[in-house]
Amino acid sequence: MSNIKKISVGVEEYPYVSSQAIRRALRNQLEVLGRELSEGVAASQAKGAATTRQEPDKFIDDDLFGYMGTESGDGNTKGGSTKRTSVVRVSPLIALNPYQGDLDFGTNYMGVKAGGDPNIFETEIHSGLYRGTILIELDRVGKDESREYIDNQEKAARVKDLLKAIKNLWASGRQSRFLADIAPKFVIAAMLSTKNPIFLESVKLEGNTINVPIIEETLKDYEPEIISSVIGMRKGFFANDIVNAKSIGEAFEEMARWIDEYYKQ
């Protein structure tokens, strides 16, 4: 049996995609978009975890997603560690539709020719809409407490490439048998003067209808902190269209303009 990751809410179970999987998917898309990634290297300490090259000035993933590394001591000195906290904060993708117990039944015939029996297996499957949030700390891109790694032009380019990766989000897991589209069909974004994922719990569905009053109330509650905001949605995908909503492409283009404006500072 191949199981879906799920969380329980009352008697219902809701599938989710872990934040680690989303971060991996974003890294993969950045590579597809032409960005060189920091290659994994072996740990310098015995039984230590592998890490990256830890060069945020050269590699976009070291800059945006951070790292944790350790260094062995030489016998006279203690080992040290290096850490960069992720600039990009990611929530899991949580299904808005509960798991209904659906299964896919398969048979592996690879061993039959060798005289074995077919291997029958089951895979949990789910189809629905998932909700997730990504927060980007623009003031920390390309720098740490002591120095700046890159100039503002490259900072803007890195964040805009990340936006492209989000717009075209695609996960490689199980795609050979269960091709799925996890690119956004609805997006609401804001440039904020504070670091607060205000939309984390604000997108809800009632059937296939987006709950607009919750979104409107969130925008009103945080109006003093919102510098700019935009809503993008796939027209006709939901039962209701939101007034003044842009297309998905137009919404991401507007976000890219925010980034250019911010890094003019």
Side-chain angles (χ1 to χ4, degrees):
M1 167 73 81
S2 180
N3 297 321
I4 295 175
K5 292 180 179 180
K6 297 180 285 290
I7 60 173
S8 298
V9 180
V11 297
E12 301 282 10
E13 291 185 314
Y14 292 84
Y16 75 95
V17 182
S18 70
S19 55
Q20 294 94 323
I22 299 303
R23 285 163 60 88
R24 181 70 262 171
L26 290 172
R27 285 176 184 259
N28 291 345
Q29 277 295 53
L30 287 171
E31 187 172 33
V32 169
L33 291 168
R35 286 286 186 170
E36 183 182 3
L37 300 184
S38 181
E39 300 293 334
V41 296
S44 63
Q45 291 185 346
K47 298 183 180 180
T51 182
T52 68
R53 298 185 187 182
Q54 303 172 35
E55 298 180 43
D57 55 330
K58 296 180 181 179
F59 299 103
I60 186 172
D61 52 331
D62 275 348
D63 183 18
L64 299 184
F65 298 110
Y67 48 80
M68 170 74 79
T70 57
E71 297 178 357
S72 298
D74 59 7
N76 297 317
T77 59
K78 293 178 64 177
S81 65
T82 56
K83 180 179 75 171
R84 176 169 174 77
T85 302
S86 181
V87 169
V88 179
R89 312 301 179 100
V90 181
S91 78
L93 287 181
I94 301 177
L96 297 175
N97 318 93
Y99 176 63
Q100 300 291 337
D102 295 314
L103 297 173
D104 175 69
F105 297 94
T107 304
N108 185 347
Y109 283 93
M110 297 300 291
V112 174
K113 291 184 179 181
D117 294 324
N119 179 28
I120 300 173
F121 60 91
E122 298 176 344
T123 302
E124 291 184 341
I125 55 175
H126 177 262
S127 178
L129 295 171
Y130 288 66
R131 178 184 66 196
T133 298
I134 296 175
L135 186 149
I136 308 169
E137 297 183 77
L138 296 178
D139 61 325
R140 292 186 53 237
V141 174
K143 69 177 186 179
D144 60 20
E145 293 80 2
S146 61
R147 65 187 179 97
E148 296 207 7
Y149 305 122
I150 54 177
D151 60 26
N152 280 1
Q153 183 177 359
E154 175 60 13
K155 291 178 185 178
R158 287 183 175 184
V159 177
K160 288 192 291 185
D161 278 351
L162 177 65
L163 290 178
K164 292 177 186 176
I166 296 170
K167 177 187 173 187
N168 297 283
L169 190 61
W170 187 83
S172 58
R174 296 189 179 183
Q175 294 285 35
S176 60
R177 292 195 299 126
F178 300 105
L179 182 62
D181 178 9
I182 61 171
K185 305 302 179 291
F186 176 88
V187 60
I188 180 166
M191 174 79 80
L192 296 164
S193 59
T194 59
K195 299 178 183 180
N196 182 8
I198 61 174
F199 301 121
L200 189 63
E201 303 292 341
S202 297
V203 178
K204 296 181 180 294
L205 283 181
E206 296 173 357
N208 195 40
T209 300
I210 297 173
N211 189 320
V212 177
I214 294 178
I215 293 173
E216 292 176 338
E217 183 176 337
T218 302
L219 291 170
K220 182 179 179 181
D221 286 344
Y222 291 95
E223 186 175 1
E225 290 79 30
I226 295 175
I227 299 169
S228 298
S229 65
V230 66
I231 296 175
M233 63 188 306
R234 180 74 59 82
K235 302 296 183 182
F237 192 89
F238 299 94
N240 61 325
D241 288 332
I242 298 177
V243 177
N244 298 325
K246 300 178 181 292
S247 70
I248 294 293
E250 291 169 339
F252 276 94
E253 287 173 2
E254 183 162 337
M255 284 183 258
R257 288 192 289 271
W258 299 347
I259 303 307
D260 285 333
E261 186 64 28
Y262 179 83
Y263 286 114
K264 281 183 180 178
Q265 303 176 32

